Every structure is written in C-alpha cells, then in structure tokens.
Amino acid sequence: QVQVVESGGGFVQAGASLRLSCTVSGLTFDDYAMGWFRQAPGKQREGVASISWNSDTIYYGDSVKGRFTISRDNAKNTVYLQMTNLKPEDTATYYCAHATSGNDWWALLRSGSLRARGQGTLVTVSS
C-alpha cells in the first residue's frame, strides 16, 4: 500500500521561501516520476512541477517557473519543492503524486486521474 506524507507548509509573507517535502513508502521510489500539484479552494488542480526518476527531466508549471525548484533524493524516498519569492496566488494545499513518467504525470493531471494519496500540506501566503 502506497503511503505519502507531505510536510513543510506554513503561513508566510509574500516574498518568503518554503521547502516542502514528500516522503513515499510502499513502492519502489526510483521506478517513478514524481511531481507536485496544488489546489486552492474553489479552483482546479494546478500542476506545479514534475521530476523523472533519475532527475534528468523536469517540468514546471508556467506560474512557478523561475521561483520553484523540484528535486528528489531516491535514497530517502523523498521529493522536495523549494519555493522562493512566494506570492499570495501560491496559496493552496500542495500534494505530491507519482506516475510512470513525467509526460504521464502531466497527462494524468490534465485528465483528472492523478491520485493524491497524502493529506497535502497547506501553504498560505499573505500580502
């Protein structure tokens, strides 16, 4: 059974930084691409970033390019999201999810099929 624990969220002022972590168990972590998506109240899910199993291929959503960095540590079964220059529009609950590849991850997100297995971590950015 796959278990996911996201952490690192919080309440910050605009311009601050946060690092989110997502630790996964119950699967062979380095067999999968990982990614982060977010969901704000009343809004659709938005893809934030994805990373291939070997960190070779990384994609970012347009709204976070240049501000967020995704990385992973396969020895720790953990994927990270370093967020800088946070804006109020980044306020959302952030979730991580896995897929067989980065392209698959974004396709599943767009189709609404990407499954969040953790509780997410809430990021609130005040102006």
Side-chain angles (χ1 to χ4, degrees):
Q1 181 178 353
V2 178
Q3 292 188 322
V4 172
V5 178
E6 298 105 339
S7 62
F11 183 98
V12 296
Q13 300 286 328
S17 299
L18 282 174
R19 189 175 85 150
L20 307 184
S21 299
C22 166
T23 300
V24 183
S25 60
L27 54 73
T28 304
F29 186 74
D30 55 8
D31 276 353
Y32 294 93
M34 296 296 302
W36 291 91
F37 65 90
R38 65 190 183 186
Q39 188 154 25
K43 295 188 177 180
Q44 287 190 326
R45 288 181 171 184
E46 179 186 9
V48 175
S50 69
I51 185 167
S52 61
W53 71 274
N54 60 356
S55 304
D56 264 5
T57 304
I58 290 174
Y59 298 111
Y60 292 101
D62 288 342
S63 62
V64 307
K65 283 179 183 175
R67 299 188 297 122
F68 291 10
T69 302
I70 190 170
S71 62
R72 65 189 292 163
D73 184 340
N74 288 344
K76 295 182 179 179
N77 282 18
T78 300
V79 60
Y80 304 98
L81 186 68
Q82 178 68 49
M83 307 186 294
T84 63
N85 190 21
L86 282 160
K87 303 176 180 181
E89 52 264 43
D90 295 318
T91 295
T93 299
Y94 286 70
Y95 302 88
C96 70
H98 68 280
T100 55
S101 69
N103 287 336
D104 186 49
W105 192 94
W106 289 90
L108 288 170
L109 178 75
R110 286 189 291 268
S111 71
S113 301
L114 193 63
R115 183 176 173 184
R117 297 178 186 267
Q119 295 300 308
T121 186
L122 177 62
V123 173
T124 304
V125 185
S126 72
S127 55

